Amino acid sequence: MALLEINNLHAKIAGGEILKGLNLKVNAGEVHAIMGPNGSGKSTLAQVLAGRETYEVTEGKVLYDGKNLLELTPEIRAREGFFLAFQYPVEIPGVGNAYFLKAALNAIRKHRGQTELDAIDFLNLVKEKVKLVELDESLLKRPVNDGFSGGEKKRNEIFQMLVLEPKLAVLDETDSGLDIDALKIVANGVNALRSKERAVIVITHYQRLLDYIIPDFVHVLSEGRIVKSGGKELALTLEEKGYSWLEKEPEGVLAQ
Amino acid sequence: MTLPTTDSFVSNFELAGKLGSEPLWLRKHREQAFSQFSQTGFPTTNDEEWRTTSVEPIATTSFQPASENNGYKIEKQELESLSLGTPDEKRLVFINGFFAPKLSSLENLPSGLILKNLAEALRSEPDLVEKYLFRQTDEKAPFTALNAAFVKDGAFVFIPKGQTVISPIHLLFISTVDGTVTVSHPRNLIIAEEGSQATIVESYWGRGKYFTNAVTEIVVGDNASLDHIKIQTESEEAFHIATIQSQQGRASRFSSHSTSFGGRLARNDINSVLAAEGSECALNGLYMAGLHQQIDNHTTVDHAQPNSISRELYKGILSGEATGVFNGKIIVRQDAQKTDASQTNKNLLLSKEALINTKPQLEIFANDVKCRHGATIGQLDENAIFYLRSRGLGEKEARSFLTYAFASEMFNSLKITPLKRRLERLVQTRLEGPMS
């Protein structure tokens, strides 16, 4: 059974339909890249999978780990091992980064029937993970993303991912705004998480991140549907030719 | 306009007894205050200062003066939970307005510091009391006049010239009921002499239905620095009306942190007069009201002389069908050139039925001043809630995290850690209880 199976997914926001019958299957152990022009629905897909209520799912089904994902609240999705690295991580003044993450981790552990981590065990875990993304330890004590630079925010997302150890992680344009060094750090973080039990979906505009996170599959999203799928070489073709050549070909042939 | 039930106070005045041994000047002032109150009665919503808060529930309740011993024994644990948790806490405790020496803790006071109940201070420091008592406040204001007419006791704090008192001084007012609905009128006098420094904490806590009508007068001498922290955790049925009035000397510093959590109806009037050049004042406040609570904060900062600075931040959290009022007045007198004043009021509404009235008032008569003010009313940030939930926190928990974060900013400037922790715990308890 696939870890994630999306069938004919339609979703709209404020009246406008954005996802128009999207299909995707992701097995454990795989890394998928989703590419596509602006406005094609990449971020909508990420938000819908995370359970954002501002998007309305009008049709279709999403099976995650055998469960009907769309019926679960955002927090239950997280506790079941789903993780979204936000394109725009939210600043939360007054809520300590480590304090919040400990509460999140323990909510997940509790859901799984594991014992909650005490302050010392948590600190040890966090100290190990924070090194992987080369984040300054002082950022742990600061409020969540408050006053972080763009790069720090993105690395903080990956850091949270490493601590929460999701089964399925979706990275929504985590590479945007990163310089090459930060890009490598993010990629290292993602690669550290890769295993045969987990899967990663990397949403990106550019092929560049895929030099460091080698995907098993690349999909092209256009106007709310996957219009082409292929191996990692597809990303290179897209880099070279752009997206416009795809639009000229008839849909039926391209979808799967 | 006189409401009928000032009668219960009228009939009680003669019985009310007196404040300590009561010298002539005091007796006279109380009689004047009484006749003042008898004339004006309780304020109504026609009165500009009371436009948004009706005190009808107070005016229509018949109160009995509290008796000295209503048989209530405060448990050691209860007292413990109300203490500040600072080492070697100096404390004056009052029960229903009466001084409770056995619950107070006054050993080993730093030399020169006078900390005692007002009735006692009238005997031991008559000149000092006469010089300052009733002199800072607007004694014509209805509840202040009522307080003066009926005052039995209160706290007296005198910090002598040049002295720094490190650990906070705690004034703790406990109210309990014995079947009747009682009222107490504590009057506190705090004098910080030239160049002195101290922190005063004024706490209110109680059980049942009662009315606290408190007045605190504060004198901050030249170059003195005084921090005043108020923790209002009255019972859910209580009425709490209180005035804090400070007068500041040259180059002095005064800060007020007022936290309002309790009371069915609670009103604070916090006024500071920057009466001499180069003085600074900071007024900070946090009010949290749930259910049917009504909490009203009126503040006035009066810049009377040049080169003074005032900073004000009041934050409110309202849930259920609670009502909040913030009315902040900044006055800059003609002589008060180079005044630098700012005022901010931020409100978080957690329910559709909660209501806030916020009103900044600037009265500026000088021409070279810097004044800013702003007020915001908002809800919790849905993006932030979603972000927290997407990491596994439940919706309720996420909301509570964000509400707590909004409130806790108020405690950043508090230097006394145990006190800060106590306030943080109080906020948590409120969020899990009446605010949820």
Side-chain angles (χ1 to χ4, degrees):
Chain A
M1 188 178 52
L3 182 60
L4 180 76
E5 197 170 339
I6 304 174
N7 280 311
N8 190 32
L9 186 64
H10 290 253
K12 62 177 186 181
I13 184 167
E17 188 171 54
I18 299 179
L19 299 183
K20 301 169 183 170
L22 187 140
N23 298 303
L24 182 68
K25 202 177 193 181
V26 176
N27 293 307
E30 295 173 352
V31 172
H32 290 240
I34 297 179
M35 304 181 76
N38 280 330
S40 58
K42 300 191 300 294
S43 283
T44 299
L45 173 64
Q47 296 277 316
V48 166
L49 291 179
R52 188 73 206 242
E53 282 146 0
T54 43
Y55 294 90
E56 192 194 337
V57 174
T58 51
E59 215 183 320
K61 248 188 139 171
V62 180
L63 274 179
Y64 164 73
D65 210 9
K67 295 172 195 76
N68 182 352
L69 186 77
L70 300 176
E71 278 180 356
L72 307 177
T73 60
E75 55 269 33
I76 298 296
R77 296 179 198 202
R79 292 173 198 170
E80 289 285 339
F82 178 86
F83 182 90
L84 170 65
F86 280 56
Q87 184 181 4
Y88 303 109
V90 183
E91 295 186 11
I92 310 182
V95 176
N97 210 13
Y99 181 73
F100 144 65
L101 195 55
K102 179 167 173 265
L105 178 63
N106 279 334
I108 291 170
R109 290 181 66 92
K110 203 175 158 191
H111 182 77
R112 293 179 186 160
Q114 296 167 316
T115 53
E116 296 183 28
L117 288 191
D118 64 20
I120 295 165
D121 289 342
F122 178 73
L123 198 69
N124 289 335
L125 172 72
V126 152
K127 282 194 167 173
E128 177 201 320
K129 304 291 186 188
V130 84
K131 276 188 212 138
L132 282 173
V133 288
E134 298 176 34
L135 261 187
D136 195 307
E137 260 185 52
S138 69
L139 294 184
L140 295 173
K141 287 181 192 153
R142 296 242 306 267
V144 182
N145 295 322
D146 191 22
F148 287 26
S149 71
E152 283 170 341
K153 283 181 186 168
K154 295 299 179 78
R155 278 184 283 155
N156 196 33
E157 294 292 289
I158 299 305
F159 162 66
Q160 290 177 18
M161 180 185 81
L162 291 173
V163 171
L164 301 179
E165 297 186 315
K167 264 189 250 176
L168 174 62
V170 176
L171 274 60
D172 188 6
E173 298 197 23
T174 303
D175 54 339
S176 65
L178 292 187
D179 61 27
I180 192 72
D181 292 330
L183 197 72
K184 282 182 190 166
I185 291 167
V186 163
N188 285 339
V190 175
N191 289 329
L193 191 80
R194 284 180 88 155
S195 78
K196 60 181 192 300
E197 294 85 31
R198 302 181 210 283
V200 180
I201 298 173
V202 181
I203 293 173
T204 180
H205 258 299
Y206 307 104
Q207 189 272 336
R208 172 174 94 129
L209 179 64
L210 305 180
D211 287 341
Y212 303 100
I213 305 172
I214 314 286
D216 301 300
F217 300 93
V218 174
H219 310 275
V220 180
L221 185 61
S222 176
E223 293 183 13
R225 319 160 114 191
I226 303 282
V227 294
K228 192 169 180 65
S229 298
K232 62 180 186 234
E233 64 290 342
L234 177 58
L236 292 166
T237 314
L238 290 166
E239 181 82 352
E240 199 182 306
K241 294 190 179 173
Y243 295 108
S244 53
W245 63 281
L246 285 163
E247 285 153 21
K248 291 178 189 117
E249 297 182 41
E251 274 176 22
V253 181
L254 288 169
Q256 308 279 311
Chain B
M1 200 186 300
T2 308
L3 286 159
T5 44
T6 50
D7 290 356
S8 80
F9 287 99
V10 173
S11 58
N12 282 325
F13 183 64
E14 287 311 313
L15 305 169
K18 30 189 178 172
L19 169 56
S21 49
E22 193 144 288
L24 190 61
W25 66 267
L26 181 62
R27 177 74 196 166
K28 266 188 161 165
H29 183 90
R30 297 210 306 118
E31 280 172 1
Q32 265 170 25
F34 178 69
S35 95
Q36 171 72 31
F37 178 74
S38 305
Q39 274 171 37
T40 58
F42 287 104
T44 70
T45 48
N46 293 328
D47 185 325
E48 185 53 32
E49 290 300 303
W50 294 87
R51 209 172 46 82
T52 42
T53 297
S54 166
V55 297
E56 213 186 319
I58 295 176
T60 54
T61 303
S62 180
F63 296 102
Q64 299 303 311
S67 57
E68 182 150 13
N69 184 0
N70 66 2
Y72 184 80
K73 294 248 188 310
I74 182 154
E75 302 291 331
K76 196 165 174 256
Q77 261 178 325
E78 246 165 2
L79 192 65
E80 204 77 355
S81 74
L82 294 168
S83 76
L84 302 178
T86 49
D88 193 27
E89 175 177 321
K90 305 292 177 233
R91 174 173 70 206
L92 280 176
V93 180
F94 297 83
I95 295 194
N96 299 329
F98 292 93
F99 178 49
K102 281 182 187 152
L103 304 177
S104 300
S105 157
L106 301 166
E107 293 90 41
N108 306 318
L109 292 181
S111 73
L113 172 71
I114 306 173
L115 176 61
K116 52 179 65 166
N117 58 313
L118 187 60
E120 175 58 29
L122 259 170
R123 274 189 288 274
S124 60
E125 343 284 333
D127 298 342
L128 215 47
V129 175
E130 186 176 355
K131 186 176 170 193
Y132 292 108
L133 191 69
F134 307 133
R135 314 275 179 195
Q136 323 308 320
T137 29
D138 170 13
E139 292 290 318
K140 288 197 164 73
F143 285 100
T144 304
L146 186 65
N147 171 284
F150 288 96
V151 55
K152 288 269 200 212
D153 214 341
F156 179 82
V157 187
F158 176 83
I159 306 128
K161 188 173 168 180
Q163 181 151 354
T164 298
V165 180
I166 293 166
S167 59
I169 295 164
H170 192 192
L171 315 176
L172 173 57
F173 298 87
I174 296 171
S175 291
T176 67
V177 290
D178 60 351
T180 56
V181 183
T182 57
V183 54
S184 68
H185 304 273
R187 171 78 69 146
N188 306 311
L189 180 57
I190 298 163
I191 304 158
E193 274 203 325
E194 187 183 335
S196 66
Q197 207 174 327
T199 302
I200 314 282
V201 182
E202 207 176 306
S203 310
Y204 293 85
W205 178 85
R207 282 222 173 110
K209 185 173 179 179
Y210 58 89
F211 173 24
T212 305
N213 180 36
V215 176
T216 299
E217 299 182 58
I218 299 174
V219 182
V220 189
D222 292 351
N223 296 303
S225 172
L226 191 80
D227 294 306
H228 182 274
I229 293 136
K230 177 173 169 178
I231 308 174
Q232 190 270 91
T233 51
E234 301 276 30
S235 81
E236 278 171 32
E237 297 162 81
F239 304 118
H240 178 93
I241 307 274
T243 293
I244 294 170
Q245 176 73 54
S246 80
Q247 293 280 340
Q248 292 188 239
R250 198 173 189 289
S252 66
R253 214 195 116 265
F254 171 66
S255 82
S256 155
H257 290 261
S258 173
T259 49
S260 298
F261 300 120
R264 165 74 183 74
L265 168 59
R267 158 82 172 228
N268 293 302
D269 280 89
I270 298 181
N271 309 316
S272 190
V273 181
L274 296 150
E277 201 172 343
S279 43
E280 286 178 33
C281 108
L283 301 186
N284 295 309
L286 173 67
Y287 44 101
M288 291 175 78
L291 307 169
H292 287 87
Q293 277 184 288
Q294 249 183 303
I295 298 185
D296 178 342
N297 284 293
H298 269 60
T299 68
T300 304
V301 180
D302 186 347
H303 290 267
Q305 295 294 323
N307 295 311
S308 61
I309 301 172
S310 68
R311 293 285 176 268
E312 180 166 8
L313 174 62
Y314 265 71
K315 279 189 163 188
I317 303 172
L318 301 147
S319 73
E321 290 169 50
T323 310
V325 177
F326 173 79
N327 189 300
K329 192 189 281 183
I330 298 173
I331 304 169
V332 182
R333 309 266 173 201
Q334 202 167 0
D335 290 340
Q337 298 296 0
K338 306 280 183 198
T339 287
D340 177 356
S342 83
Q343 179 197 88
T344 309
N345 174 228
K346 295 182 181 173
N347 297 284
L348 191 55
L349 298 184
L350 300 179
S351 71
K352 284 198 175 76
E353 292 77 24
L355 182 73
I356 176 75
N357 285 295
T358 174
K359 185 179 174 192
Q361 285 178 280
L362 266 58
E363 293 175 14
I364 301 172
F365 303 100
N367 54 18
D368 183 12
V369 302
K370 208 157 83 180
C371 288
R372 297 169 298 270
H373 70 85
T376 60
I377 300 168
Q379 280 100 41
L380 291 174
D381 177 1
E382 290 298 328
N383 286 323
I385 292 170
F386 178 65
Y387 187 77
L388 295 176
R389 291 178 75 190
S390 79
R391 298 299 180 248
L393 295 183
E395 186 178 1
K396 211 178 152 189
E397 207 179 353
R399 288 181 182 278
S400 155
F401 258 63
L402 296 174
T403 311
Y404 179 78
F406 177 83
S408 66
E409 186 198 350
M410 295 309 297
F411 308 138
N412 288 348
S413 60
L414 291 178
K415 284 163 247 151
I416 302 156
T417 310
L419 184 61
K420 203 167 161 172
R421 296 284 168 268
R422 177 161 150 68
L423 287 167
E424 286 167 352
R425 277 198 304 276
L426 280 170
V427 169
Q428 287 286 16
T429 311
R430 295 289 299 163
L431 287 179
E432 287 157 17
M435 304 289 297
S436 70

